[in-house]
Amino acid sequence: MSTVRAEPQPFEPHQARVTRDLSGLPTYGFGPKSPMWWGTLGFFVVEGMGFALALGTYLYLVQQNPHWPLAPIPPDHWAGTLNTLLLLASLWPNLITDRHAHAQDLGRVRRDLVIMSLITLATIALRLYEFTGLGVRWDQNAYGSITWVLLALHLTHLITDAGDTLVLTVLMFTRHATGKRFSDVSDNAFYWYFVVASWLPIYVAVYWIPRW
Amino acid sequence: MSEAATAPRELRDSELDGPALSARLARIWGTQRSIVGWLSSVDHKVIGRRYIVTAFLFLFMGGLTAIVMRLQLAQPESKLVGPDTYNQLFTMHGSTMMFLFGVPIGEAMAVYLVPLMVGTRNIAFPRLNAFSYWVYLSGGVFLWISFLLNIGPDVGWFAYVPLSGPEYSPGKRADVWAQMITFTELSGLAVAIEIIVTVLKQRAPGMSLSRIPLFVWALFVNSFIIIFALPAVMVASTFLILDRLIGTQLFNPAEGGDALLFQHLFWFFGHPEVYIIFLPGTAFVSAIIPTFARREIFGYLALVLSLIATGFLSFGLWVHHMFTTGLPQLGAAFFTANSMLIAIPNGLQIFCWIATLWDGRPVWRTPLLFVCGFFFIFVAGGLSGIMLASVPIDTQVHDTYFVVAHFHYVLIGGNVFPLLAAIYYWFPKFTGRMLSERLGAWNFWLAFIGFNVAFFPMHISGLMGMPRRVYTYGPEMGWGDLQLVSTAGALVLFASFLVFVWNVLASLRSGAVAGPNPWGAGTLEWATASPPPPQNFDHIPVVTHREPLWAERGGLPVVTGLSIRHRELVVSSVAEAEPQLRESSPAPSIWPLIAAVTVGATFIGSIFTPYAVLWGAPPIAAALTGWFWPKNTPEDEE
Ligand code: HEM
Ligand SMILES: [Cu+2]
């Protein structure tokens, strides 16, 4: 019979039997080895749900209204298209940053981070400009509201990522740029993939569904 | 990193043993004894204790509002409170119970117990944990101060539009409700992510998936439900705030918006919410039953699978709260089927628990009494729930006291009874003292009898047609006697809480000393002193069985090799818990508190002007930078 039943046992905290020594293990790791990577994934789920529900709201409102958009013309898509291209193009330097972080190549990581910081700032600037071409105010009707909400929701992610990247960039130029920071750089690159990926359905919803 | 080779050799725990090792680890993992030290603590036990005490305070406050409501309803045409106060009372009661007690209490127990049960030294992201507590506290205090200033919300705990919208709720009351949601959901989400990562990555070597205690499984699944469900209510409350504050039209049908949209978003969260409240209850029960049955749990795999099934099914149900809104026929049928389906995993769980007790040699102590109370009440609540899952019945009793009776059977049966069992069970671990068994028995019987006397008659009041959320009724309605009985029961229930508080206070001072493992239990939290030292374990244990303390005769196997110069813990692989890293764990910091204050000020300010978000952003950014910027501690330079 293999069921384990409770046996009254005296408890002796210092009676430990050492079966293994872990001093040879590294003190940081990349990707799924690192708890921070999993934490980042957790935030993807939370924020991804936020995006999904906001997009769901958009589609729900499209369905509830006989006409869409609730404006004479659909939004001007050029700034958004440009931003989409910029975001897609940024995947390449982002990938490079991640590679150099894995290789713990401080010189290149510094350069890459500067480039990525500039890119995030540029996407923010473009996004702010996108608002001017929407042709509808947020308080005009539900169409205006949800359009602004979607763009603004994604903007907050651009801003958080920019803040994060800038602080990391500065950090990597100080004496704190030691081992574990490379893993942080890698996690930061991981987050950017999410920011770009979450934009694509929003781009389609905001700029192309009104043209359907 | 590269300096590591040339640096003076790292001190390791293999070089010390016994009390010298304990003392040294306690010093590096400890919390400083000063005000700043206290405010900077990142120890999961310190924060877990704060969470538990705070959640109980809110339970108590929610209970007080309920007592006032019950006194008002004890007789027809009572003049104790007026309609406006009554609206605030039930809103405060529901919101406090659901958002300030129901969700946080499960997470609070998890924050304290999960790291101990998986054999690690702190929770993952301990500073986020500290931050989440301060945010939660601010949200709760904010709600209650608003209530005392007479701007408490009065729109019910789910604040439906259009009632809560800009047109029908001018003033700040509905904003207070919406921002309270933002606070509590933010903290709830943060804790859920910490628990998930702790369970995935910080389990003691050898604790493979099939050796994870059921308690941990339940709270792990619970955390998943939280990260999928809570964003929905945050979206709903944010949209509401936007409609109210900057004039968006999301819920305004006149401008292309939609009022039912709010209900969909709310119940997408609101139904899983019931499971967020119930799963911690199952966690407590699954931990307590084996200990008092004196055998390992029956049907471990079935229990794990039914937890996971419950997690998935809980998302297919939200529409049953909206049966009366006139949904398409087929949709309603689907949701009815789904509502009934969820009875299967729940039934299976109860079967496994009873089988364990059946085959064991039950020891009848207070925790087990409360577990039996839970069985009885929860099953009764499940029965009335199955009645409600059928559309015709729901249509009839919707918004009557039948529903009020049903959800209190489920919520109090499924959460509060197991919770009291859990406190009786783990109080010795938390404090080093046993609670009194004699007062425990009084506590149980008063609670059990009081509860049933209070809530059973409400089924009948409901069937007689008494609507919920009415501040009074005329004598000709004929339910006055039943209402009086309910009030008497509520007072008895309340008295049982006073006995509980008394028991806690008296036992803290003079309870019997517990020792590390007073119940002879089998899981890891009992393998350390009571209360546990700051480092939890002097050596990280190696797990070879689901009930390690029962399976391992003559002391636990352990690993060595961790630093005793700074905080270090073992990071292991997801499935097999094979050690992968010796990672440093963050030192105490005041920044999480500062960040929480800046965030809180921004949330509250945004009720008054949208610009608060702009003003608030730079301080928040500064606080977060301070939080993440490396200090010159050994933890940061690793
Ligand atoms: C101390 C024992 C309790 C008593 C005597 C009590 C009593 C009541 C009463 C009389 C109402 C109905 C108010 C009305 O519709 O006019 C109510 C509503 C409610 N209760 Fe309780 N309750 C207790 C504990 C709890 C607990 C522990 C929870 C949750 C964990 C809870 C959750 C709720 C909710 C969500 C509502 C609905 C509020 C609304 O309509 O907006 N209650 N309670
Ligand atoms: Cu439900």
Side-chain angles (χ1 to χ4, degrees):
Chain A
M1 194 193 70
S2 62
T3 303
V4 172
R5 284 168 195 278
E7 302 290 336
Q9 284 177 61
F11 176 79
E12 212 4 287
H14 298 309
Q15 235 182 23
R17 283 184 286 126
V18 177
T19 56
R20 191 161 163 191
D21 189 86
L22 303 182
S23 39
L25 291 181
T27 57
Y28 60 91
F30 289 88
K33 267 194 183 166
S34 138
M36 188 54 96
W37 186 86
W38 288 92
T40 313
L41 201 62
F43 280 103
F44 288 2
V45 173
V46 168
E47 292 160 22
M49 278 307 288
F51 282 126
L53 291 160
L55 277 166
T57 300
Y58 189 97
L59 298 176
Y60 182 88
L61 290 173
V62 171
Q63 217 196 6
Q64 296 297 315
N65 284 282
H67 302 288
W68 198 266
L70 305 178
I73 46 160
D76 175 11
H77 75 88
W78 281 109
T81 303
L82 198 61
N83 212 352
T84 311
L85 294 176
L86 178 59
L87 285 166
L88 286 175
S90 74
L91 292 176
W92 173 245
N94 193 47
L95 182 75
I96 302 286
T97 314
D98 193 18
R99 277 211 197 125
H100 289 151
H102 274 264
Q104 314 208 3
D105 181 338
L106 183 58
R108 291 216 167 86
V109 163
R110 285 179 174 165
R111 186 202 61 195
D112 299 342
L113 280 175
V114 171
I115 294 176
M116 284 311 292
S117 305
L118 294 176
I119 292 178
T120 51
L121 292 176
T123 60
I124 293 177
L126 253 175
R127 171 60 44 80
L128 291 175
Y129 182 73
E130 281 178 55
F131 282 103
T132 62
L134 292 180
V136 61
R137 277 171 56 99
W138 68 88
D139 55 1
Q140 210 165 315
N141 55 40
Y143 159 70
S145 307
I146 191 64
T147 302
W148 279 72
V149 162
L150 280 173
L151 283 194
L153 186 63
H154 192 262
L155 173 61
T156 58
H157 285 71
L158 292 177
I159 293 175
T160 358
D161 193 277
D164 206 37
T165 311
L166 284 170
V167 171
L168 257 182
T169 309
V170 175
L171 194 60
M172 292 312 269
F173 280 94
T174 69
R175 72 193 159 76
H176 298 294
T178 52
K180 198 175 174 187
R181 305 289 156 238
F182 288 105
S183 163
D184 295 345
V185 172
S186 171
D187 289 330
N188 186 54
F190 186 36
Y191 189 73
W192 185 249
Y193 289 125
F194 172 73
V195 174
V196 175
S198 57
W199 168 249
L200 300 176
I202 297 182
Y203 169 68
V204 173
V206 166
Y207 293 109
W208 296 101
I209 289 185
R211 296 187 152 73
W212 223 262
Chain B
M1 231 299 272
S2 52
E3 300 103 276
T6 53
R9 211 168 48 86
E10 175 78 278
L11 271 176
R12 295 282 155 78
D13 58 3
S14 30
E15 289 155 44
L16 281 180
D17 209 354
L21 176 63
S22 283
R24 177 150 187 136
L25 284 171
R27 200 165 64 241
I28 58 172
W29 285 89
T31 297
Q32 260 182 25
R33 287 186 163 278
S34 65
I35 301 268
V36 178
W38 193 80
L39 295 174
S40 310
S41 178
V42 292
D43 183 337
H44 74 101
K45 298 179 292 299
V46 175
I47 293 166
R49 214 160 51 208
R50 287 178 195 162
Y51 252 118
I52 295 170
V53 171
T54 312
F56 262 95
L57 279 178
F58 285 125
L59 172 66
F60 202 75
M61 309 274 268
L64 284 180
T65 49
I67 291 300
V68 179
M69 287 192 289
R70 282 309 334 158
L71 291 176
Q72 161 71 16
L73 296 176
Q75 47 181 316
E77 291 176 354
S78 161
K79 297 277 186 311
L80 184 63
V81 296
D84 178 55
T85 312
Y86 193 86
N87 287 351
Q88 289 184 56
L89 282 173
F90 70 70
T91 305
M92 289 299 290
H93 172 75
S95 306
T96 300
M97 290 299 194
M98 299 307 261
F99 297 108
L100 300 178
F101 165 72
V103 180
I105 190 63
E107 294 197 316
M109 297 290 276
V111 164
Y112 195 104
L113 289 166
V114 165
L116 284 162
M117 282 200 182
V118 302
T120 185
R121 286 184 170 158
N122 206 348
I123 197 164
F125 318 127
R127 290 185 181 169
L128 184 63
N129 194 30
F131 172 78
S132 77
Y133 173 74
W134 298 122
V135 169
Y136 160 59
L137 182 68
S138 328
V141 169
F142 167 60
L143 178 71
W144 275 86
I145 289 187
S146 306
F147 175 65
L148 296 179
L149 295 179
N150 197 21
I151 46 169
D154 58 354
V155 285
W157 81 278
F158 39 70
Y160 279 173
V161 293
L163 173 62
S164 62
E167 204 171 329
Y168 295 97
S169 285
K172 296 290 168 210
R173 290 180 189 280
D175 300 306
V176 170
W177 180 87
Q179 281 313 48
M180 181 275 296
I181 298 290
T182 317
F183 276 101
T184 50
E185 307 314 87
L186 177 62
S187 82
L189 286 165
V191 175
I193 290 177
E194 295 153 24
I195 304 283
I196 288 175
V197 177
T198 307
V199 174
L200 287 177
K201 294 301 291 176
Q202 296 194 10
R203 303 199 310 278
M207 186 181 279
S208 56
L209 293 180
S210 62
R211 293 182 187 146
I212 298 179
L214 277 169
F215 176 94
V216 175
W217 266 115
L219 287 159
F220 180 67
V221 172
N222 195 38
S223 301
F224 271 95
I225 304 185
I226 289 178
I227 62 175
F228 282 99
L230 260 52
V233 70
M234 269 184 106
V235 167
S237 72
T238 307
F239 284 1
L240 177 62
I241 283 259
L242 291 175
D243 270 15
R244 293 177 52 86
L245 244 57
I246 60 168
T248 55
Q249 312 283 0
L250 293 159
F251 299 131
N252 180 4
E255 291 294 348
D258 186 69
L260 272 189
L261 173 62
F262 183 90
Q263 294 196 23
H264 278 295
L265 288 170
F266 188 88
W267 288 113
F268 185 84
F269 144 84
H271 186 80
E273 159 88 339
V274 176
Y275 291 88
I276 293 170
I277 290 180
F278 172 53
L279 281 193
T282 71
F284 307 148
V285 173
S286 291
I288 290 169
I289 284 191
T291 298
F292 291 94
R294 311 308 292 155
R295 62 152 284 165
E296 66 178 330
I297 195 91
F298 175 87
Y300 175 86
L301 185 64
L303 283 166
V304 172
L305 292 178
S306 60
L307 281 170
I308 296 173
T310 308
F312 279 103
L313 288 176
S314 68
F315 283 93
L317 296 176
W318 82 93
V319 174
H320 70 194
H321 297 270
M322 298 163 60
F323 279 159
T324 55
T325 55
L327 291 162
Q329 272 288 298
L330 184 66
F334 169 78
F335 283 103
T336 301
N338 206 339
S339 301
M340 295 196 174
L341 206 59
I342 204 157
I344 296 174
N346 285 335
L348 197 66
Q349 276 185 313
I350 294 194
F351 172 74
C352 290
W353 289 326
I354 292 181
T356 310
L357 281 172
W358 193 271
D359 183 57
R361 286 168 272 131
V363 183
W364 291 99
R365 307 295 287 276
T366 311
L368 201 51
L369 278 185
F370 275 102
V371 167
C372 289
F374 148 76
F375 281 148
F376 184 87
I377 297 174
F378 187 72
V379 169
L383 291 179
S384 56
I386 291 187
M387 292 169 70
L388 287 176
S390 111
V391 179
I393 299 188
D394 185 54
T395 310
Q396 198 59 35
V397 298
H398 183 80
D399 271 344
T400 69
Y401 263 80
F402 188 87
V403 173
V404 176
H406 158 68
F407 66 68
H408 284 89
Y409 267 79
V410 175
L411 294 171
I412 297 187
N415 181 287
V416 178
F417 273 73
L419 175 67
L420 289 170
I423 298 294
Y424 276 90
Y425 182 56
W426 279 294
F427 187 83
K429 183 49 62 186
F430 298 159
T431 66
R433 304 258 184 190
M434 308 294 287
L435 285 168
S436 150
E437 282 287 317
R438 197 173 48 84
L439 287 176
W442 274 100
N443 183 354
F444 170 73
W445 287 110
L446 286 176
F448 186 75
I449 294 170
F451 172 80
N452 284 296
V453 173
F455 289 96
F456 189 78
M458 288 187 199
H459 290 109
I460 308 173
S461 307
L463 290 174
M464 289 171 72
M466 175 164 175
R468 65 192 280 199
R469 296 178 169 177
V470 288
Y471 83 105
T472 194
Y473 50 90
E476 71 286 357
M477 305 307 297
W479 52 59
D481 292 344
L482 286 169
Q483 288 298 304
L484 186 61
V485 174
S486 282
T487 300
L491 289 173
V492 175
L493 182 54
F494 195 75
S496 82
F497 270 86
L498 297 180
V499 173
F500 172 73
V501 172
W502 170 323
N503 198 353
V504 165
L505 294 179
S507 303
L508 270 180
R509 281 222 337 271
S510 54
V513 173
N517 192 359
W519 311 112
T523 39
L524 285 179
E525 78 274 28
W526 305 103
T528 182
S530 307
Q535 71 273 27
N536 290 352
F537 304 95
D538 291 350
H539 288 291
I540 301 301
V542 174
V543 174
T544 55
H545 190 272
R546 220 174 278 146
E547 303 279 355
L549 306 196
W550 290 352
E552 288 294 337
R553 323 277 141 136
L556 288 173
V558 300
V559 295
T560 57
L562 295 185
S563 169
I564 51 174
R565 196 175 65 92
H566 68 272
R567 300 171 173 227
E568 200 168 74
L569 43 75
V570 180
V571 170
S572 49
S573 67
V574 168
E576 292 303 318
E578 174 61 25
Q580 288 176 318
L581 306 172
R582 292 178 292 118
E583 214 185 37
S584 58
S585 177
S589 165
I590 192 75
W591 286 104
L593 173 59
I594 298 176
V597 169
T598 55
V599 168
T602 307
F603 285 169
I604 296 176
S606 70
I607 290 183
F608 299 95
T609 156
Y611 290 104
V613 177
L614 292 184
W615 297 122
I620 294 177
L624 292 180
T625 307
W627 172 341
F628 287 106
W629 195 264
K631 319 293 176 302
N632 288 319
T633 59
E635 282 82 2
D636 283 344
E637 297 309 325
E638 245 322 292

